[in-house]
Amino acid sequence: MRGGGRFWLGVLAVAGLLLGARQAPPIADTPETLRAEAFEAAQWAIASDAADALARVSARFAQGDDDLGRLAEEREALIVRRDRLERALERHYASTEAADLAARTQAQSEWEAATGRLATLDADIEARFPAYSELTSPRALSIAETQQLLRPDEGLLLVLVNPEATYVWAITREKAAWTRSEAMDEARLKVTVDKLRLSLSATAAPRGDDIDPTLFAGRQPTPFDRTESWRLYSELVLPVEETFKDKRTLITVTTGVLSTLPLSVLVTAPPQGNDADPAALGATPWLADRYAMAALPAVSSLRSLRCYLVRDPADRSAGCPPGLAPASRNEPRIEPLRLAAFGAPLLAGAPADPTRGAAAADTVMNGPLADVSRLKALPYLRGSRLELETLKARYPDSVVRIGAEATERAVRRADADALSRARFVVFSTHGLMAGSAAAEPGLVMTPPDQATEADDGYLSASEAAQLKLSAEFVVLSACNTAASDGRPGGEGLSGLARAFFYAGARSVLVSHWEVSDAATTTLITAAFADLDSHAVSDPGVRARALQAGQRAVRAERRWAHPAYWAAFTLVGEPG
């Protein structure tokens, strides 16, 4: 853990202060200085892969040097290759077959070559572009620096989960506050989150009377425990909410098991009525009602997004470090494109249980490539086609590939230029989670007749990371796209979200569980309708678009359960 000692000193200081420790602190220690120390220390404890991806892309963009761009792109390709070879080695080491033993030797040789070249590149970049190395190892932001980067209508909530307690900081331009909850230590918080997640998952729902077959396939969903949700809100948010209660947008940075639960499902008042009653659910006040919400992988991501990952220096935050030079790229001026969208792949499975994917990726893999026959057997998604046709009608001059045209080859080659120019990028399809056999998470495209490296019908996270994007908003309208990349102890947001940040996205819409095909169509189309009703420069425009989409879903009585409307989280710039 980076900065581990400093972190624990900060936590101990906070713990003593919040518990009312009687021993007098050193003269220089005040509640404000201890709070500030702990806020910075906490950030070292939660540095994430997604934040690292965002920092690297923003650093390359800010440096604005063609030579650096080529080196950085080669470096990222090598990282992708190294990680892929590590997964292959894991697979080969688990086998005793002669062919796998030979393949293991070859993979080991290639891995050593890739890591050797990576070390050489790192040394070259360090020597020639020291500022890039500095930017790709972001330091923690102070409270004052965070306040300067926040907009007037924004609040930031940082939640650090630890074995003995959970620590919470609330920051706005004007105020800062913090609290500590022993009642929600790591173990008890996990019990609470697991219980809430159980009622949000279609695969965990017991059989019973029909509510909406588009998600639960004829099963009654487990009632969402609003009392437990209210308790979570009361412990973690309510004690500091006075700090940001008058703000429109709430930016959250969460850790541990809490990163698997969208905070939008927190109930903000003692529940009334029966948890299983759609009318009671419809009348429930949620945190999503109070704020348009966005998540960041780290507090330092604010600086990446608002100081470096910007094309026009005029768009930089007033809180950015002084002396930042405009990008010196000698790139030709490109013609922007409103939308590039892909989805509704041609699949042979009957849409009897049309969620947008829930299986692990290893169920469709055959070695390093996807098994075309298994992909084709997945259920066809009617809602995805309707969703994309609606977007095509809204943006008639855009690139929208549906059905037979929605191929991996189109994404990675034929339409690569369109993707690089698109303001909005949408993938509406099945999303598969990382598998137990080291298979990557990814998105299902229309399968080819025969799988090849160029096109096996499955856009994996490492392949997505190699796309070249300048998109403000990437929408992964699929299931489980916020899930970990499958590594042991892998963090939330480290799979597909991380990949699209590598590719250059400023914000990514991801889902935390299996999503209803029909309800998601309503959410995405309503979100884009709201997005178009506001100026591009409006603060929080994308976070408010998600909020509008959630409200559109909740307007349907059959979709009052948060399993239908709360799966998606906006990660990155709120707008």
Side-chain angles (χ1 to χ4, degrees):
M1 178 185 297
R2 288 183 285 174
R6 180 178 173 84
F7 160 66
W8 284 112
L9 286 173
V11 167
L12 288 172
V14 173
L17 187 61
L18 286 175
L19 290 173
R22 293 180 180 274
Q23 184 174 355
I27 300 265
D29 285 345
T30 66
E32 290 75 19
T33 59
L34 290 173
R35 177 184 64 201
E37 171 78 6
F39 178 73
E40 293 183 45
Q43 294 175 58
W44 291 114
I46 63 173
S48 73
D49 285 342
D52 183 54
L54 194 55
R56 286 212 288 269
V57 172
S58 65
R60 187 183 72 223
F61 197 91
Q63 189 82 5
D65 187 284
D66 288 343
D67 288 342
L68 172 62
R70 284 189 286 271
L71 288 173
E73 287 174 9
E74 183 184 354
R75 184 179 189 274
E76 287 165 19
L78 279 167
I79 290 171
V80 168
R81 179 169 176 75
R82 179 201 64 190
D83 292 349
R84 181 182 293 171
L85 287 166
E86 285 176 354
R87 285 188 291 271
L89 283 169
E90 289 175 18
R91 186 168 61 250
H92 296 320
Y93 271 107
S95 171
T96 58
E97 298 291 330
D100 279 315
L101 292 176
R104 185 176 75 191
T105 301
Q106 177 66 25
Q108 180 70 32
S109 175
E110 292 179 8
W111 179 85
E112 290 172 358
T115 53
R117 174 58 183 160
L118 190 56
T120 301
L121 269 182
D122 283 341
D124 192 13
I125 291 172
E126 174 70 30
R128 296 172 58 190
F129 306 100
Y132 176 82
S133 297
E134 181 181 343
L135 289 171
T136 53
S137 301
R139 62 175 178 80
L141 297 183
S142 68
I143 287 177
E145 288 170 326
T146 303
Q147 289 176 317
Q148 291 166 4
L149 288 167
L150 288 171
R151 298 187 178 112
D153 68 338
E154 292 176 338
L156 182 137
L157 187 74
L158 169 63
V159 186
L160 176 66
V161 179
N162 266 289
E164 81 292 350
T166 293
Y167 300 87
V168 184
W169 288 262
I171 312 289
T172 64
R173 273 191 170 187
E174 305 82 13
K175 303 176 185 177
W178 45 270
T179 191
R180 175 182 192 267
S181 172
E182 288 186 12
M184 283 295 168
D185 61 20
E186 187 174 49
R188 282 180 278 196
L189 183 63
K190 184 178 187 307
V191 171
T192 295
V193 171
D194 285 350
K195 184 177 183 179
L196 295 176
R197 284 271 310 184
L198 184 67
S199 66
L200 295 168
S201 171
T203 57
R207 295 193 174 275
D209 296 332
D210 290 2
I211 280 196
D212 179 8
T214 63
L215 178 57
F216 289 100
R219 294 167 288 175
Q220 174 84 15
T222 302
F224 184 75
D225 192 333
R226 293 176 298 153
T227 299
E228 198 74 1
S229 175
W230 156 248
R231 189 168 77 90
L232 193 57
Y233 163 81
S234 301
E235 284 288 333
L236 303 184
V237 180
L238 185 59
V240 296
E241 191 171 11
E242 182 69 24
T243 305
F244 53 79
K245 69 175 184 179
D246 60 341
K247 305 301 181 182
R248 296 181 66 183
T249 303
L250 181 60
I251 299 170
T252 64
V253 180
T254 59
T255 66
V257 70
L258 199 60
S259 66
T260 69
L261 184 76
L263 298 191
S264 56
V265 300
L266 298 188
V267 175
T268 60
Q272 305 295 317
N274 190 309
D275 286 344
D277 180 6
L281 284 172
T284 298
W286 307 93
L287 196 64
D289 293 322
R290 292 189 177 179
Y291 311 103
M293 302 181 69
L296 289 179
V299 178
S300 61
S301 300
L302 267 181
R303 185 167 49 202
S304 294
L305 288 164
R306 296 183 175 178
C307 298
Y308 304 117
L309 197 58
V310 290
R311 286 196 174 274
D312 186 347
D315 293 335
R316 288 176 177 148
S317 167
C320 291
L324 290 181
S328 60
R329 292 172 177 269
N330 297 315
E331 296 176 345
R333 187 171 180 82
I334 61 171
E335 186 66 27
L337 185 70
R338 291 291 298 279
L339 172 74
F342 305 82
L346 289 184
L347 304 170
D353 185 11
T355 61
R356 297 191 182 179
D362 53 8
T363 63
V364 301
M365 300 305 290
N366 183 15
L369 300 178
D371 186 312
V372 170
S373 62
R374 294 177 189 173
L375 286 181
K376 288 181 177 179
L378 291 171
Y380 178 71
L381 296 169
R382 293 194 186 99
S384 285
R385 174 172 285 275
L386 176 60
E387 180 181 315
L388 293 174
E389 287 174 343
T390 302
L391 291 176
K392 187 174 183 178
R394 178 173 292 279
Y395 308 112
D397 58 342
S398 297
V399 171
V400 180
R401 306 301 187 203
I402 302 173
E405 295 182 340
T407 64
E408 183 184 359
R409 186 178 297 275
V411 172
R412 297 175 63 191
R413 298 193 179 184
D415 292 319
D417 175 69
L419 271 169
S420 71
R421 296 185 289 113
R423 177 186 169 201
F424 305 138
V425 172
V426 176
F427 289 90
S428 182
T429 181
H430 289 289
L432 305 186
M433 297 182 293
S436 59
E440 294 182 67
L443 301 168
V444 175
M445 312 305 293
T446 292
D449 292 332
Q450 183 174 352
T452 64
E453 277 199 23
D455 184 358
D456 63 352
Y458 187 66
L459 184 69
S460 67
S462 62
E463 290 166 340
Q466 296 176 69
L467 300 175
K468 298 294 182 286
L469 305 179
S470 57
E472 296 174 12
F473 193 27
V474 172
V475 176
L476 304 184
S477 184
C479 291
N480 294 298
T481 49
S484 160
D485 61 4
R487 292 173 298 170
E491 61 191 68
L493 303 181
S494 62
L496 280 168
R498 171 191 174 196
F500 281 95
F501 279 133
Y502 265 125
R506 286 177 54 78
S507 62
V508 185
L509 191 67
V510 293
S511 62
H512 288 270
W513 53 80
E514 312 93 297
V515 298
S516 159
D517 190 28
T520 299
T521 297
T522 296
L523 187 149
I524 299 301
T525 53
F528 273 96
D530 185 81
L531 199 61
D532 284 346
S533 68
H534 301 282
V536 176
S537 58
D538 279 3
V541 64
R542 293 189 284 280
R544 290 205 307 276
L546 172 59
Q547 186 181 44
Q550 291 172 332
R551 287 172 175 160
V553 174
R554 287 168 53 195
E556 292 254 7
R557 177 184 172 89
R558 62 179 178 153
W559 293 335
H561 194 291
Y564 296 100
W565 59 264
F568 286 96
T569 293
L570 177 68
V571 184
E573 177 61 65

